[in-house]
């Protein structure tokens, strides 16, 4: 029922096309590999393979062709959500979300350089933070890269970071790419999670 509702809402949008549906994790992996969609809404709890394993398999197998994955969940503090984000999901969506929020989320994920639902992601990361020393992470980053990462944890877009630092948008994109590479992060969400887990930022800090 949830899948049918999501499909109906998104399929009614002029700029969106539903290219496939799946009832299990194994089916999801098969459909995505065949259709190569831009965005996938992935339930975290499914038969055969859960959303976490399905996300890991798709990102590992498809590389640069991998879609942006949004996990769909009932509860935003679900540990499955955090595990999916660590696995490489771009963000998450609550099943009770309003239709307009669903549509906005898909559009945002498809084109944006911002962190999806930054407050919720930061809260999840803070709850699961390991409290380790930040020295190792800090040593890998230049001073400017560290500034950029700190602003990324606040959910700022590249444009907002550029304005904050007084530099060009292209310069910020270069720094962001370097931060992701040095941290071994697939996207901004993983970088923010790493920043919390390794003590680079602490709960309550911007």
């Amino acid at each position: 029922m949830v899948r049918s509702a999501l499909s109906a809402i998104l399929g009614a949008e002029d700029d969106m096309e539903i290219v496939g549906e799946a009832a299990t994790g194994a089916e999801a992996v098969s459909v995505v590999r065949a259709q190569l969609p831009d965005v996938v809404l992935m339930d975290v709890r499914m038969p055969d393979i859960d959303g976490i394993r399905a996300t890991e398999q798709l990102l590992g197998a498809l590389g640069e062709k991998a879609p942006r994955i949004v996990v769909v969940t009932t509860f935003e503090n679900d540990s499955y959500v955090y595990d999916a984000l660590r696995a490489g999901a771009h963000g998450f969506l609550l099943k009770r979300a309003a239709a307009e929020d669903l549509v906005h989320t898909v559009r945002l994920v498809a084109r944006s350089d911002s962190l999806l639902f930054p407050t919720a992601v930061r809260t999840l990361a803070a709850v699961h933070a390991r409290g380790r020393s930040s020295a190792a992470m800090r040593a890998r980053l230049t001073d400017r890269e560290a500034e950029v990462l700190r602003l990324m944890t606040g959910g700022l877009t590249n444009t907002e970071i550029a304005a904050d630092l007084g530099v060009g948008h292209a310069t910020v994109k270069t720094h962001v790419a370097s931060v992701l590479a040095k941290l071994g992060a697939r996207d901004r969400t993983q970088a923010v999670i790493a920043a919390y887990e390794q003590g680079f930022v602490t709960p309550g800090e911007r």
Side-chain angles (χ1 to χ4, degrees), residues 115 118 122 133-135 137-139 141-158 160-162 164-165 172 175-176 179-180 183 188 191-196 198-206:
L115 185 68
R122 293 200 306 272
S133 170
S134 65
M137 173 179 282
R138 185 65 185 82
L141 305 175
T142 65
D143 289 343
R144 181 46 59 91
E145 288 168 350
E147 288 181 288
V148 168
L149 176 58
R150 198 170 297 281
L151 293 174
M152 286 167 61
T153 66
L156 274 66
T157 65
N158 287 353
E160 291 168 336
I161 292 174
D164 191 287
L165 298 179
V172 173
H175 287 313
V176 169
V179 168
L180 297 185
L183 299 186
R188 301 167 91 91
V192 168
I193 288 174
Y196 273 99
Q198 298 185 36
F200 181 81
V201 288
T202 56
E205 180 182 355
R206 175 182 169 178

Side-chain angles (χ1 to χ4, degrees), residues 98-163:
E100 57 268 26
D101 292 333
L102 168 64
V103 172
H104 173 70
T105 295
V106 172
R107 290 198 178 110
L108 182 67
V109 168
R111 66 171 185 260
S112 179
D113 61 4
S114 65
L115 185 68
L116 185 62
F117 307 132
T119 301
V121 172
R122 293 200 306 272
T123 298
L124 279 168
V127 168
H128 293 82
R130 298 170 183 169
R132 298 185 303 190
S133 170
S134 65
M137 173 179 282
R138 185 65 185 82
R140 283 179 280 169
L141 305 175
T142 65
D143 289 343
R144 181 46 59 91
E145 288 168 350
E147 288 181 288
V148 168
L149 176 58
R150 198 170 297 281
L151 293 174
M152 286 167 61
T153 66
L156 274 66
T157 65
N158 287 353
T159 299
E160 291 168 336
I161 292 174

Side-chain angles (χ1 to χ4, degrees), residues 40-44 51-59 66-72 80-93 109 114-116 121 124 185-193:
V40 172
L41 298 183
M42 181 83 75
D43 200 331
V44 292
I52 302 166
R53 288 180 58 202
T55 295
E56 290 174 338
Q57 288 186 19
L58 288 171
L59 296 180
R68 293 197 168 198
I69 297 176
V70 178
V71 292
V72 182
Y80 275 77
V81 173
Y82 182 73
D83 290 339
L85 294 176
R86 291 189 78 238
H90 191 73
F92 68 91
L93 181 73
V109 168
S114 65
L115 185 68
L116 185 62
V121 172
L124 279 168
R186 185 177 296 275
D187 57 25
R188 301 167 91 91
T189 301
Q190 286 193 320
V192 168
I193 288 174

Side-chain angles (χ1 to χ4, degrees), residues 19-62:
V19 297
E21 296 184 27
T24 70
E27 287 181 13
V29 171
S30 179
V31 170
V32 172
R33 294 187 69 165
Q35 299 294 333
L36 296 179
D38 297 306
V39 177
V40 172
L41 298 183
M42 181 83 75
D43 200 331
V44 292
R45 299 171 187 263
M46 294 181 290
D48 297 334
I49 301 174
D50 63 31
I52 302 166
R53 288 180 58 202
T55 295
E56 290 174 338
Q57 288 186 19
L58 288 171
L59 296 180
L62 297 178

